[in-house]
Amino acid sequence: ATKYSHCRVTGLESSEFLQTLVEQKLGALPAEVASRVSCQVSNFGEFPFRKRQFDLAVTSCTVHKWEFPRTAFVEIRKALKPGGRFVLHDWSDGSLGCKVNSYYQHWAGRHKFYFFSVGCEICR
């Protein structure tokens, strides 16, 4: 926590329900860490962030659920500072492993938890 004490993390969730889950998990973190983390709700098409706000944007296992990914990518690009980085991690149903994982997540009722994106604002 001290090594990255200058960092702030802003999460973006697709629903108030998921935002509530994030806030509950933040409650379990030490106060000095939780105070640097926030979460907002958005539809992934219109981001509530100002231009050139983030050094890094990361999305994990969400793009395949976005209704308008092209619009979201434009918004991510606008929110990144010059030289900022975007990391995208997702799967497609093209491979057997992804198909099995997707089926399991749906079967287990966890598929609704795959809407998660985060932007990390690194203070210099």
mmCIF file of all heavy atoms in Angstrom, residues 64-115:
data_model
loop_
_atom_site.group_PDB
_atom_site.id
_atom_site.type_symbol
_atom_site.label_atom_id
_atom_site.label_comp_id
_atom_site.label_asym_id
_atom_site.label_seq_id
_atom_site.Cartn_x
_atom_site.Cartn_y
_atom_site.Cartn_z
ATOM 1 N N HIS A 64 -17.164 -7.875 -24.326
ATOM 2 C CA HIS A 64 -18.132 -8.728 -25.032
ATOM 3 C C HIS A 64 -19.574 -8.453 -24.597
ATOM 4 O O HIS A 64 -20.512 -8.882 -25.254
ATOM 5 C CB HIS A 64 -17.786 -10.206 -24.823
ATOM 6 C CG HIS A 64 -17.909 -10.673 -23.416
ATOM 7 N ND1 HIS A 64 -16.922 -10.467 -22.476
ATOM 8 C CD2 HIS A 64 -18.916 -11.316 -22.785
ATOM 9 C CE1 HIS A 64 -17.314 -10.970 -21.325
ATOM 10 N NE2 HIS A 64 -18.521 -11.505 -21.485
ATOM 11 N N LYS A 65 -19.771 -7.699 -23.527
ATOM 12 C CA LYS A 65 -21.113 -7.357 -23.051
ATOM 13 C C LYS A 65 -21.530 -5.926 -23.412
ATOM 14 O O LYS A 65 -22.676 -5.559 -23.238
ATOM 15 C CB LYS A 65 -21.191 -7.492 -21.521
ATOM 16 C CG LYS A 65 -20.920 -8.875 -21.006
ATOM 17 C CD LYS A 65 -22.115 -9.752 -21.248
ATOM 18 C CE LYS A 65 -21.920 -11.091 -20.537
ATOM 19 N NZ LYS A 65 -23.052 -11.963 -20.718
ATOM 20 N N TRP A 66 -20.600 -5.120 -23.901
ATOM 21 C CA TRP A 66 -20.911 -3.729 -24.213
ATOM 22 C C TRP A 66 -21.822 -3.660 -25.425
ATOM 23 O O TRP A 66 -21.572 -4.294 -26.450
ATOM 24 C CB TRP A 66 -19.653 -2.927 -24.493
ATOM 25 C CG TRP A 66 -18.742 -2.753 -23.322
ATOM 26 C CD1 TRP A 66 -18.969 -3.116 -22.032
ATOM 27 C CD2 TRP A 66 -17.443 -2.186 -23.350
ATOM 28 N NE1 TRP A 66 -17.890 -2.799 -21.254
ATOM 29 C CE2 TRP A 66 -16.939 -2.232 -22.042
ATOM 30 C CE3 TRP A 66 -16.659 -1.653 -24.353
ATOM 31 C CZ2 TRP A 66 -15.683 -1.749 -21.706
ATOM 32 C CZ3 TRP A 66 -15.399 -1.173 -24.034
ATOM 33 C CH2 TRP A 66 -14.927 -1.216 -22.716
ATOM 34 N N GLU A 67 -22.835 -2.818 -25.331
ATOM 35 C CA GLU A 67 -23.771 -2.651 -26.444
ATOM 36 C C GLU A 67 -23.124 -1.873 -27.588
ATOM 37 O O GLU A 67 -23.333 -2.175 -28.762
ATOM 38 C CB GLU A 67 -25.024 -1.936 -25.960
ATOM 39 C CG GLU A 67 -26.120 -1.892 -26.988
ATOM 40 C CD GLU A 67 -27.415 -1.314 -26.444
ATOM 41 O OE1 GLU A 67 -27.496 -1.035 -25.227
ATOM 42 O OE2 GLU A 67 -28.336 -1.126 -27.242
ATOM 43 N N PHE A 68 -22.336 -0.855 -27.260
ATOM 44 C CA PHE A 68 -21.689 -0.022 -28.262
ATOM 45 C C PHE A 68 -20.191 0.089 -27.966
ATOM 46 O O PHE A 68 -19.715 1.118 -27.496
ATOM 47 C CB PHE A 68 -22.321 1.376 -28.288
ATOM 48 C CG PHE A 68 -23.797 1.358 -28.542
ATOM 49 C CD1 PHE A 68 -24.687 1.606 -27.513
ATOM 50 C CD2 PHE A 68 -24.285 1.077 -29.808
ATOM 51 C CE1 PHE A 68 -26.052 1.580 -27.747
ATOM 52 C CE2 PHE A 68 -25.643 1.047 -30.053
ATOM 53 C CZ PHE A 68 -26.538 1.295 -29.015
ATOM 54 N N PRO A 69 -19.418 -0.973 -28.246
ATOM 55 C CA PRO A 69 -17.993 -0.943 -27.892
ATOM 56 C C PRO A 69 -17.209 0.168 -28.580
ATOM 57 O O PRO A 69 -16.332 0.760 -27.970
ATOM 58 C CB PRO A 69 -17.482 -2.320 -28.303
ATOM 59 C CG PRO A 69 -18.521 -2.900 -29.183
ATOM 60 C CD PRO A 69 -19.809 -2.225 -28.864
ATOM 61 N N ARG A 70 -17.535 0.473 -29.818
ATOM 62 C CA ARG A 70 -16.797 1.527 -30.533
ATOM 63 C C ARG A 70 -16.901 2.857 -29.788
ATOM 64 O O ARG A 70 -15.916 3.571 -29.618
ATOM 65 C CB ARG A 70 -17.321 1.645 -31.957
ATOM 66 C CG ARG A 70 -16.556 2.629 -32.781
ATOM 67 C CD ARG A 70 -17.156 2.750 -34.190
ATOM 68 N NE ARG A 70 -16.189 3.367 -35.049
ATOM 69 C CZ ARG A 70 -15.577 2.778 -36.048
ATOM 70 N NH1 ARG A 70 -15.844 1.529 -36.343
ATOM 71 N NH2 ARG A 70 -14.700 3.420 -36.775
ATOM 72 N N THR A 71 -18.102 3.188 -29.331
ATOM 73 C CA THR A 71 -18.316 4.420 -28.572
ATOM 74 C C THR A 71 -17.513 4.393 -27.283
ATOM 75 O O THR A 71 -16.890 5.384 -26.900
ATOM 76 C CB THR A 71 -19.817 4.598 -28.250
ATOM 77 O OG1 THR A 71 -20.540 4.588 -29.476
ATOM 78 C CG2 THR A 71 -20.071 5.897 -27.517
ATOM 79 N N ALA A 72 -17.506 3.247 -26.602
ATOM 80 C CA ALA A 72 -16.755 3.122 -25.351
ATOM 81 C C ALA A 72 -15.258 3.313 -25.591
ATOM 82 O O ALA A 72 -14.581 3.979 -24.805
ATOM 83 C CB ALA A 72 -17.026 1.777 -24.707
ATOM 84 N N PHE A 73 -14.743 2.754 -26.684
ATOM 85 C CA PHE A 73 -13.318 2.916 -26.981
ATOM 86 C C PHE A 73 -12.961 4.371 -27.240
ATOM 87 O O PHE A 73 -11.909 4.853 -26.839
ATOM 88 C CB PHE A 73 -12.895 2.040 -28.157
ATOM 89 C CG PHE A 73 -12.916 0.573 -27.866
ATOM 90 C CD1 PHE A 73 -13.442 -0.318 -28.778
ATOM 91 C CD2 PHE A 73 -12.409 0.071 -26.686
ATOM 92 C CE1 PHE A 73 -13.461 -1.680 -28.522
ATOM 93 C CE2 PHE A 73 -12.422 -1.278 -26.409
ATOM 94 C CZ PHE A 73 -12.953 -2.159 -27.337
ATOM 95 N N VAL A 74 -13.847 5.097 -27.907
ATOM 96 C CA VAL A 74 -13.631 6.531 -28.137
ATOM 97 C C VAL A 74 -13.592 7.265 -26.797
ATOM 98 O O VAL A 74 -12.734 8.122 -26.563
ATOM 99 C CB VAL A 74 -14.720 7.113 -29.067
ATOM 100 C CG1 VAL A 74 -14.669 8.630 -29.095
ATOM 101 C CG2 VAL A 74 -14.582 6.544 -30.465
ATOM 102 N N GLU A 75 -14.520 6.923 -25.902
ATOM 103 C CA GLU A 75 -14.574 7.564 -24.583
ATOM 104 C C GLU A 75 -13.311 7.245 -23.773
ATOM 105 O O GLU A 75 -12.769 8.116 -23.085
ATOM 106 C CB GLU A 75 -15.822 7.107 -23.815
ATOM 107 C CG GLU A 75 -17.114 7.642 -24.387
ATOM 108 C CD GLU A 75 -17.232 9.148 -24.240
ATOM 109 O OE1 GLU A 75 -16.947 9.684 -23.152
ATOM 110 O OE2 GLU A 75 -17.606 9.806 -25.230
ATOM 111 N N ILE A 76 -12.853 6.002 -23.841
ATOM 112 C CA ILE A 76 -11.627 5.617 -23.126
ATOM 113 C C ILE A 76 -10.452 6.435 -23.657
ATOM 114 O O ILE A 76 -9.654 6.962 -22.885
ATOM 115 C CB ILE A 76 -11.363 4.106 -23.271
ATOM 116 C CG1 ILE A 76 -12.410 3.319 -22.481
ATOM 117 C CG2 ILE A 76 -9.955 3.754 -22.820
ATOM 118 C CD1 ILE A 76 -12.437 1.831 -22.787
ATOM 119 N N ARG A 77 -10.361 6.540 -24.963
ATOM 120 C CA ARG A 77 -9.258 7.301 -25.556
ATOM 121 C C ARG A 77 -9.279 8.753 -25.094
ATOM 122 O O ARG A 77 -8.253 9.342 -24.797
ATOM 123 C CB ARG A 77 -9.335 7.230 -27.075
ATOM 124 C CG ARG A 77 -8.163 7.879 -27.731
ATOM 125 C CD ARG A 77 -8.174 7.639 -29.211
ATOM 126 N NE ARG A 77 -6.969 8.215 -29.792
ATOM 127 C CZ ARG A 77 -6.779 8.349 -31.062
ATOM 128 N NH1 ARG A 77 -7.686 7.950 -31.920
ATOM 129 N NH2 ARG A 77 -5.675 8.882 -31.516
ATOM 130 N N LYS A 78 -10.472 9.348 -25.036
ATOM 131 C CA LYS A 78 -10.590 10.736 -24.578
ATOM 132 C C LYS A 78 -10.154 10.880 -23.125
ATOM 133 O O LYS A 78 -9.576 11.891 -22.745
ATOM 134 C CB LYS A 78 -12.031 11.227 -24.709
ATOM 135 C CG LYS A 78 -12.430 11.586 -26.111
ATOM 136 C CD LYS A 78 -13.715 12.387 -26.105
ATOM 137 C CE LYS A 78 -14.883 11.557 -26.509
ATOM 138 N NZ LYS A 78 -16.146 12.279 -26.570
ATOM 139 N N ALA A 79 -10.448 9.882 -22.302
ATOM 140 C CA ALA A 79 -10.149 9.962 -20.870
ATOM 141 C C ALA A 79 -8.676 9.736 -20.556
ATOM 142 O O ALA A 79 -8.219 10.060 -19.460
ATOM 143 C CB ALA A 79 -10.999 8.947 -20.101
ATOM 144 N N LEU A 80 -7.915 9.194 -21.510
ATOM 145 C CA LEU A 80 -6.492 8.948 -21.275
ATOM 146 C C LEU A 80 -5.651 10.201 -21.503
ATOM 147 O O LEU A 80 -5.889 10.960 -22.428
ATOM 148 C CB LEU A 80 -5.984 7.838 -22.202
ATOM 149 C CG LEU A 80 -6.427 6.427 -21.868
ATOM 150 C CD1 LEU A 80 -6.009 5.472 -22.982
ATOM 151 C CD2 LEU A 80 -5.850 5.986 -20.535
ATOM 152 N N LYS A 81 -4.666 10.360 -20.633
ATOM 153 C CA LYS A 81 -3.696 11.437 -20.817
ATOM 154 C C LYS A 81 -2.818 11.099 -22.022
ATOM 155 O O LYS A 81 -2.717 9.935 -22.410
ATOM 156 C CB LYS A 81 -2.808 11.553 -19.572
ATOM 157 C CG LYS A 81 -3.548 12.030 -18.345
ATOM 158 C CD LYS A 81 -2.613 12.060 -17.145
ATOM 159 C CE LYS A 81 -3.336 12.515 -15.896
ATOM 160 N NZ LYS A 81 -2.456 12.479 -14.711
ATOM 161 N N PRO A 82 -2.146 12.094 -22.615
ATOM 162 C CA PRO A 82 -1.202 11.788 -23.693
ATOM 163 C C PRO A 82 -0.177 10.765 -23.198
ATOM 164 O O PRO A 82 0.374 10.902 -22.108
ATOM 165 C CB PRO A 82 -0.546 13.140 -23.988
ATOM 166 C CG PRO A 82 -1.570 14.148 -23.558
ATOM 167 C CD PRO A 82 -2.244 13.531 -22.353
ATOM 168 N N GLY A 83 0.045 9.731 -23.974
ATOM 169 C CA GLY A 83 0.958 8.663 -23.573
ATOM 170 C C GLY A 83 0.317 7.643 -22.643
ATOM 171 O O GLY A 83 0.959 6.692 -22.213
ATOM 172 N N GLY A 84 -0.972 7.843 -22.318
ATOM 173 C CA GLY A 84 -1.673 6.908 -21.444
ATOM 174 C C GLY A 84 -1.840 5.554 -22.109
ATOM 175 O O GLY A 84 -1.765 5.426 -23.327
ATOM 176 N N ARG A 85 -2.051 4.544 -21.296
ATOM 177 C CA ARG A 85 -2.155 3.175 -21.799
ATOM 178 C C ARG A 85 -3.548 2.610 -21.555
ATOM 179 O O ARG A 85 -4.190 2.939 -20.565
ATOM 180 C CB ARG A 85 -1.141 2.288 -21.095
ATOM 181 C CG ARG A 85 0.266 2.791 -21.182
ATOM 182 C CD ARG A 85 1.042 1.987 -22.109
ATOM 183 N NE ARG A 85 2.364 2.586 -22.266
ATOM 184 C CZ ARG A 85 3.368 1.932 -22.717
ATOM 185 N NH1 ARG A 85 3.244 0.678 -23.034
ATOM 186 N NH2 ARG A 85 4.511 2.534 -22.865
ATOM 187 N N PHE A 86 -3.967 1.740 -22.463
ATOM 188 C CA PHE A 86 -5.231 1.037 -22.329
ATOM 189 C C PHE A 86 -4.951 -0.461 -22.399
ATOM 190 O O PHE A 86 -4.312 -0.935 -23.329
ATOM 191 C CB PHE A 86 -6.184 1.450 -23.454
ATOM 192 C CG PHE A 86 -7.474 0.688 -23.477
ATOM 193 C CD1 PHE A 86 -8.285 0.619 -22.365
ATOM 194 C CD2 PHE A 86 -7.877 0.038 -24.623
ATOM 195 C CE1 PHE A 86 -9.470 -0.066 -22.390
ATOM 196 C CE2 PHE A 86 -9.071 -0.668 -24.666
ATOM 197 C CZ PHE A 86 -9.869 -0.721 -23.550
ATOM 198 N N VAL A 87 -5.400 -1.196 -21.393
ATOM 199 C CA VAL A 87 -5.230 -2.643 -21.345
ATOM 200 C C VAL A 87 -6.606 -3.278 -21.425
ATOM 201 O O VAL A 87 -7.482 -2.971 -20.616
ATOM 202 C CB VAL A 87 -4.519 -3.082 -20.034
ATOM 203 C CG1 VAL A 87 -4.410 -4.598 -19.976
ATOM 204 C CG2 VAL A 87 -3.163 -2.419 -19.919
ATOM 205 N N LEU A 88 -6.774 -4.143 -22.402
ATOM 206 C CA LEU A 88 -8.048 -4.823 -22.599
ATOM 207 C C LEU A 88 -7.839 -6.323 -22.399
ATOM 208 O O LEU A 88 -6.968 -6.918 -23.023
ATOM 209 C CB LEU A 88 -8.552 -4.566 -24.019
ATOM 210 C CG LEU A 88 -9.916 -5.119 -24.374
ATOM 211 C CD1 LEU A 88 -10.567 -4.211 -25.394
ATOM 212 C CD2 LEU A 88 -9.864 -6.521 -24.881
ATOM 213 N N HIS A 89 -8.624 -6.896 -21.508
ATOM 214 C CA HIS A 89 -8.590 -8.347 -21.291
ATOM 215 C C HIS A 89 -10.014 -8.840 -21.432
ATOM 216 O O HIS A 89 -10.914 -8.363 -20.752
ATOM 217 C CB HIS A 89 -8.055 -8.654 -19.884
ATOM 218 C CG HIS A 89 -8.258 -10.076 -19.504
ATOM 219 N ND1 HIS A 89 -9.275 -10.483 -18.675
ATOM 220 C CD2 HIS A 89 -7.590 -11.197 -19.860
ATOM 221 C CE1 HIS A 89 -9.219 -11.790 -18.518
ATOM 222 N NE2 HIS A 89 -8.216 -12.243 -19.231
ATOM 223 N N ASP A 90 -10.229 -9.751 -22.340
ATOM 224 C CA ASP A 90 -11.563 -10.279 -22.566
ATOM 225 C C ASP A 90 -11.425 -11.643 -23.210
ATOM 226 O O ASP A 90 -10.328 -12.092 -23.506
ATOM 227 C CB ASP A 90 -12.379 -9.339 -23.468
ATOM 228 C CG ASP A 90 -13.863 -9.369 -23.139
ATOM 229 O OD1 ASP A 90 -14.389 -10.463 -22.858
ATOM 230 O OD2 ASP A 90 -14.488 -8.304 -23.155
ATOM 231 N N TRP A 91 -12.533 -12.289 -23.441
ATOM 232 C CA TRP A 91 -12.508 -13.558 -24.145
ATOM 233 C C TRP A 91 -13.555 -13.541 -25.234
ATOM 234 O O TRP A 91 -14.458 -12.724 -25.248
ATOM 235 C CB TRP A 91 -12.727 -14.744 -23.213
ATOM 236 C CG TRP A 91 -14.124 -14.891 -22.680
ATOM 237 C CD1 TRP A 91 -15.224 -15.347 -23.351
ATOM 238 C CD2 TRP A 91 -14.577 -14.589 -21.377
ATOM 239 N NE1 TRP A 91 -16.324 -15.346 -22.550
ATOM 240 C CE2 TRP A 91 -15.954 -14.886 -21.319
ATOM 241 C CE3 TRP A 91 -13.967 -14.088 -20.228
ATOM 242 C CZ2 TRP A 91 -16.717 -14.702 -20.178
ATOM 243 C CZ3 TRP A 91 -14.732 -13.915 -19.094
ATOM 244 C CH2 TRP A 91 -16.082 -14.216 -19.081
ATOM 245 N N SER A 92 -13.412 -14.480 -26.131
ATOM 246 C CA SER A 92 -14.446 -14.687 -27.141
ATOM 247 C C SER A 92 -14.877 -16.138 -27.012
ATOM 248 O O SER A 92 -14.196 -16.943 -26.395
ATOM 249 C CB SER A 92 -13.893 -14.433 -28.540
ATOM 250 O OG SER A 92 -12.997 -15.466 -28.893
ATOM 251 N N ASP A 93 -16.001 -16.462 -27.566
ATOM 252 C CA ASP A 93 -16.461 -17.839 -27.497
ATOM 253 C C ASP A 93 -15.848 -18.699 -28.596
ATOM 254 O O ASP A 93 -16.356 -19.762 -28.913
ATOM 255 C CB ASP A 93 -17.997 -17.888 -27.570
ATOM 256 C CG ASP A 93 -18.633 -17.483 -26.246
ATOM 257 O OD1 ASP A 93 -17.960 -17.626 -25.208
ATOM 258 O OD2 ASP A 93 -19.780 -17.026 -26.259
ATOM 259 N N GLY A 94 -14.730 -18.229 -29.157
ATOM 260 C CA GLY A 94 -14.083 -18.965 -30.236
ATOM 261 C C GLY A 94 -13.319 -20.191 -29.781
ATOM 262 O O GLY A 94 -13.198 -21.160 -30.508
ATOM 263 N N SER A 95 -12.797 -20.189 -28.570
ATOM 264 C CA SER A 95 -12.023 -21.342 -28.107
ATOM 265 C C SER A 95 -12.857 -22.183 -27.153
ATOM 266 O O SER A 95 -13.792 -21.700 -26.518
ATOM 267 C CB SER A 95 -10.746 -20.873 -27.393
ATOM 268 O OG SER A 95 -11.083 -20.298 -26.147
ATOM 269 N N LEU A 96 -12.495 -23.436 -27.039
ATOM 270 C CA LEU A 96 -13.229 -24.350 -26.163
ATOM 271 C C LEU A 96 -13.169 -23.878 -24.716
ATOM 272 O O LEU A 96 -14.176 -23.881 -24.011
ATOM 273 C CB LEU A 96 -12.671 -25.772 -26.285
ATOM 274 C CG LEU A 96 -13.324 -26.815 -25.367
ATOM 275 C CD1 LEU A 96 -14.813 -26.929 -25.679
ATOM 276 C CD2 LEU A 96 -12.637 -28.152 -25.511
ATOM 277 N N GLY A 97 -11.999 -23.436 -24.264
ATOM 278 C CA GLY A 97 -11.858 -22.959 -22.885
ATOM 279 C C GLY A 97 -12.781 -21.790 -22.587
ATOM 280 O O GLY A 97 -13.413 -21.722 -21.530
ATOM 281 N N CYS A 98 -12.891 -20.865 -23.531
ATOM 282 C CA CYS A 98 -13.771 -19.705 -23.342
ATOM 283 C C CYS A 98 -15.232 -20.126 -23.353
ATOM 284 O O CYS A 98 -16.038 -19.607 -22.584
ATOM 285 C CB CYS A 98 -13.507 -18.666 -24.416
ATOM 286 S SG CYS A 98 -11.901 -17.860 -24.232
ATOM 287 N N LYS A 99 -15.575 -21.071 -24.219
ATOM 288 C CA LYS A 99 -16.950 -21.554 -24.259
ATOM 289 C C LYS A 99 -17.330 -22.212 -22.938
ATOM 290 O O LYS A 99 -18.414 -21.979 -22.406
ATOM 291 C CB LYS A 99 -17.138 -22.538 -25.408
ATOM 292 C CG LYS A 99 -17.193 -21.886 -26.755
ATOM 293 C CD LYS A 99 -17.380 -22.911 -27.855
ATOM 294 C CE LYS A 99 -17.348 -22.214 -29.201
ATOM 295 N NZ LYS A 99 -17.512 -23.144 -30.299
ATOM 296 N N VAL A 100 -16.423 -23.029 -22.405
ATOM 297 C CA VAL A 100 -16.689 -23.706 -21.126
ATOM 298 C C VAL A 100 -16.826 -22.674 -20.013
ATOM 299 O O VAL A 100 -17.750 -22.737 -19.201
ATOM 300 C CB VAL A 100 -15.581 -24.733 -20.810
ATOM 301 C CG1 VAL A 100 -15.691 -25.247 -19.380
ATOM 302 C CG2 VAL A 100 -15.632 -25.885 -21.803
ATOM 303 N N ASN A 101 -15.916 -21.707 -19.969
ATOM 304 C CA ASN A 101 -15.976 -20.671 -18.936
ATOM 305 C C ASN A 101 -17.269 -19.867 -19.048
ATOM 306 O O ASN A 101 -17.943 -19.610 -18.055
ATOM 307 C CB ASN A 101 -14.762 -19.744 -19.031
ATOM 308 C CG ASN A 101 -14.746 -18.722 -17.920
ATOM 309 O OD1 ASN A 101 -15.163 -18.996 -16.801
ATOM 310 N ND2 ASN A 101 -14.256 -17.544 -18.229
ATOM 311 N N SER A 102 -17.631 -19.482 -20.267
ATOM 312 C CA SER A 102 -18.843 -18.713 -20.474
ATOM 313 C C SER A 102 -20.072 -19.518 -20.035
ATOM 314 O O SER A 102 -20.958 -19.001 -19.349
ATOM 315 C CB SER A 102 -18.960 -18.329 -21.946
ATOM 316 O OG SER A 102 -20.063 -17.494 -22.154
ATOM 317 N N TYR A 103 -20.123 -20.788 -20.401
ATOM 318 C CA TYR A 103 -21.243 -21.646 -20.006
ATOM 319 C C TYR A 103 -21.306 -21.779 -18.488
ATOM 320 O O TYR A 103 -22.363 -21.644 -17.882
ATOM 321 C CB TYR A 103 -21.116 -23.028 -20.650
ATOM 322 C CG TYR A 103 -22.178 -23.978 -20.181
ATOM 323 C CD1 TYR A 103 -23.474 -23.901 -20.686
ATOM 324 C CD2 TYR A 103 -21.902 -24.926 -19.203
ATOM 325 C CE1 TYR A 103 -24.464 -24.748 -20.237
ATOM 326 C CE2 TYR A 103 -22.889 -25.779 -18.746
ATOM 327 C CZ TYR A 103 -24.168 -25.694 -19.273
ATOM 328 O OH TYR A 103 -25.133 -26.523 -18.814
ATOM 329 N N TYR A 104 -20.147 -22.007 -17.864
ATOM 330 C CA TYR A 104 -20.113 -22.156 -16.411
ATOM 331 C C TYR A 104 -20.582 -20.879 -15.713
ATOM 332 O O TYR A 104 -21.380 -20.926 -14.786
ATOM 333 C CB TYR A 104 -18.714 -22.521 -15.919
ATOM 334 C CG TYR A 104 -18.620 -22.469 -14.416
ATOM 335 C CD1 TYR A 104 -19.180 -23.483 -13.644
ATOM 336 C CD2 TYR A 104 -18.042 -21.388 -13.771
ATOM 337 C CE1 TYR A 104 -19.139 -23.431 -12.256
ATOM 338 C CE2 TYR A 104 -17.997 -21.322 -12.401
ATOM 339 C CZ TYR A 104 -18.548 -22.351 -11.645
ATOM 340 O OH TYR A 104 -18.516 -22.279 -10.283
ATOM 341 N N GLN A 105 -20.094 -19.734 -16.163
ATOM 342 C CA GLN A 105 -20.481 -18.469 -15.547
ATOM 343 C C GLN A 105 -21.990 -18.258 -15.650
ATOM 344 O O GLN A 105 -22.633 -17.807 -14.710
ATOM 345 C CB GLN A 105 -19.738 -17.290 -16.187
ATOM 346 C CG GLN A 105 -18.239 -17.314 -15.986
ATOM 347 C CD GLN A 105 -17.829 -17.257 -14.526
ATOM 348 O OE1 GLN A 105 -18.514 -16.688 -13.695
ATOM 349 N NE2 GLN A 105 -16.706 -17.860 -14.212
ATOM 350 N N HIS A 106 -22.545 -18.596 -16.808
ATOM 351 C CA HIS A 106 -23.994 -18.457 -16.988
ATOM 352 C C HIS A 106 -24.733 -19.446 -16.091
ATOM 353 O O HIS A 106 -25.670 -19.100 -15.389
ATOM 354 C CB HIS A 106 -24.368 -18.664 -18.452
ATOM 355 C CG HIS A 106 -25.828 -18.479 -18.704
ATOM 356 N ND1 HIS A 106 -26.399 -17.222 -18.736
ATOM 357 C CD2 HIS A 106 -26.822 -19.369 -18.905
ATOM 358 C CE1 HIS A 106 -27.687 -17.358 -18.954
ATOM 359 N NE2 HIS A 106 -27.972 -18.650 -19.059
ATOM 360 N N TRP A 107 -24.275 -20.680 -16.093
ATOM 361 C CA TRP A 107 -24.908 -21.728 -15.291
ATOM 362 C C TRP A 107 -24.840 -21.408 -13.802
ATOM 363 O O TRP A 107 -25.794 -21.587 -13.065
ATOM 364 C CB TRP A 107 -24.226 -23.072 -15.563
ATOM 365 C CG TRP A 107 -24.695 -24.174 -14.679
ATOM 366 C CD1 TRP A 107 -25.846 -24.900 -14.804
ATOM 367 C CD2 TRP A 107 -24.047 -24.659 -13.510
ATOM 368 N NE1 TRP A 107 -25.943 -25.816 -13.795
ATOM 369 C CE2 TRP A 107 -24.849 -25.692 -12.981
ATOM 370 C CE3 TRP A 107 -22.853 -24.329 -12.862
ATOM 371 C CZ2 TRP A 107 -24.500 -26.388 -11.829
ATOM 372 C CZ3 TRP A 107 -22.512 -25.026 -11.730
ATOM 373 C CH2 TRP A 107 -23.339 -26.042 -11.217
ATOM 374 N N ALA A 108 -23.710 -20.886 -13.360
ATOM 375 C CA ALA A 108 -23.506 -20.582 -11.942
ATOM 376 C C ALA A 108 -24.171 -19.276 -11.529
ATOM 377 O O ALA A 108 -24.149 -18.904 -10.364
ATOM 378 C CB ALA A 108 -22.017 -20.532 -11.630
ATOM 379 N N GLY A 109 -24.763 -18.580 -12.475
ATOM 380 C CA GLY A 109 -25.421 -17.318 -12.155
ATOM 381 C C GLY A 109 -24.443 -16.181 -11.927
ATOM 382 O O GLY A 109 -24.779 -15.162 -11.353
ATOM 383 N N ARG A 110 -23.215 -16.342 -12.375
ATOM 384 C CA ARG A 110 -22.188 -15.318 -12.157
ATOM 385 C C ARG A 110 -22.012 -14.402 -13.349
ATOM 386 O O ARG A 110 -21.256 -13.447 -13.290
ATOM 387 C CB ARG A 110 -20.847 -15.976 -11.839
ATOM 388 C CG ARG A 110 -20.885 -16.730 -10.547
ATOM 389 C CD ARG A 110 -19.539 -17.279 -10.234
ATOM 390 N NE ARG A 110 -19.614 -18.107 -9.042
ATOM 391 C CZ ARG A 110 -18.724 -18.990 -8.715
ATOM 392 N NH1 ARG A 110 -17.675 -19.180 -9.481
ATOM 393 N NH2 ARG A 110 -18.862 -19.711 -7.636
ATOM 394 N N HIS A 111 -22.662 -14.701 -14.455
ATOM 395 C CA HIS A 111 -22.444 -13.920 -15.667
ATOM 396 C C HIS A 111 -22.751 -12.440 -15.463
ATOM 397 O O HIS A 111 -22.165 -11.599 -16.091
ATOM 398 C CB HIS A 111 -23.279 -14.472 -16.823
ATOM 399 C CG HIS A 111 -24.752 -14.435 -16.571
ATOM 400 N ND1 HIS A 111 -25.381 -15.324 -15.731
ATOM 401 C CD2 HIS A 111 -25.699 -13.596 -17.020
ATOM 402 C CE1 HIS A 111 -26.666 -15.042 -15.687
ATOM 403 N NE2 HIS A 111 -26.886 -14.005 -16.456
ATOM 404 N N LYS A 112 -23.630 -12.112 -14.544
ATOM 405 C CA LYS A 112 -23.970 -10.708 -14.335
ATOM 406 C C LYS A 112 -22.837 -9.931 -13.674
ATOM 407 O O LYS A 112 -22.863 -8.730 -13.616
ATOM 408 C CB LYS A 112 -25.240 -10.598 -13.498
ATOM 409 C CG LYS A 112 -25.141 -11.203 -12.131
ATOM 410 C CD LYS A 112 -26.478 -11.125 -11.411
ATOM 411 C CE LYS A 112 -26.433 -11.911 -10.140
ATOM 412 N NZ LYS A 112 -27.345 -12.995 -10.064
ATOM 413 N N PHE A 113 -21.821 -10.614 -13.173
ATOM 414 C CA PHE A 113 -20.712 -9.950 -12.510
ATOM 415 C C PHE A 113 -19.565 -9.628 -13.458
ATOM 416 O O PHE A 113 -18.531 -9.191 -13.041
ATOM 417 C CB PHE A 113 -20.192 -10.803 -11.351
ATOM 418 C CG PHE A 113 -21.205 -10.966 -10.267
ATOM 419 C CD1 PHE A 113 -21.860 -12.170 -10.097
ATOM 420 C CD2 PHE A 113 -21.539 -9.920 -9.441
ATOM 421 C CE1 PHE A 113 -22.808 -12.320 -9.105
ATOM 422 C CE2 PHE A 113 -22.492 -10.061 -8.454
ATOM 423 C CZ PHE A 113 -23.122 -11.274 -8.289
ATOM 424 N N TYR A 114 -19.740 -9.848 -14.733
ATOM 425 C CA TYR A 114 -18.648 -9.622 -15.660
ATOM 426 C C TYR A 114 -18.647 -8.235 -16.286
ATOM 427 O O TYR A 114 -18.000 -7.996 -17.266
ATOM 428 C CB TYR A 114 -18.608 -10.719 -16.731
ATOM 429 C CG TYR A 114 -17.824 -11.869 -16.219
ATOM 430 C CD1 TYR A 114 -18.443 -12.887 -15.523
ATOM 431 C CD2 TYR A 114 -16.448 -11.896 -16.344
ATOM 432 C CE1 TYR A 114 -17.712 -13.926 -14.990
ATOM 433 C CE2 TYR A 114 -15.714 -12.938 -15.826
ATOM 434 C CZ TYR A 114 -16.345 -13.944 -15.152
ATOM 435 O OH TYR A 114 -15.600 -14.965 -14.624
ATOM 436 N N PHE A 115 -19.384 -7.314 -15.710
ATOM 437 C CA PHE A 115 -19.329 -5.925 -16.159
ATOM 438 C C PHE A 115 -18.425 -5.173 -15.196
ATOM 439 O O PHE A 115 -18.852 -4.714 -14.164
ATOM 440 C CB PHE A 115 -20.723 -5.291 -16.121
ATOM 441 C CG PHE A 115 -21.658 -5.830 -17.146
ATOM 442 C CD1 PHE A 115 -22.484 -6.892 -16.862
ATOM 443 C CD2 PHE A 115 -21.700 -5.259 -18.403
ATOM 444 C CE1 PHE A 115 -23.365 -7.375 -17.817
ATOM 445 C CE2 PHE A 115 -22.584 -5.737 -19.360
ATOM 446 C CZ PHE A 115 -23.411 -6.800 -19.074
#
